[in-house]
Amino acid sequence: MKFKLGIVIFLIGFLITVVGAWLKITHITLGPINGNIGLTIGTIVQVVGIIVLIVQIMISRKS
């Protein structure tokens, strides 16, 4: 239960990445959002989620 925030952030990034891949495959743009931007934002959010998980693990091991 301590790692809930990191997992949620990672899953949101995963969903953004899936939508970005779908946009790239179908060559659809949703306003300013295209496949490349969706994939980039999704990957950045996933990296942030992993960093949050690592920090939470390090904090929980200290206590």
Side-chain angles (χ1 to χ4, degrees):
M1 295 304 271
K2 294 180 181 180
F3 310 118
K4 190 180 213 179
L5 178 63
I7 293 170
V8 167
I9 292 172
F10 180 79
L11 289 177
I12 289 171
F14 179 75
L15 290 175
I16 294 171
T17 303
V18 169
V19 170
W22 174 73
L23 290 173
K24 191 163 181 72
I25 290 169
T26 59
H27 303 288
I28 295 175
T29 58
L30 300 173
I33 307 277
N34 60 13
N36 292 330
I37 293 173
L39 287 172
T40 304
I41 291 172
T43 303
I44 291 170
V45 173
Q46 284 180 336
V47 169
V48 169
I50 290 172
I51 291 171
V52 168
L53 276 172
I54 290 171
V55 169
Q56 288 176 341
I57 289 170
M58 297 301 261
I59 290 173
S60 70
R61 289 193 179 197
K62 287 182 181 179
S63 57

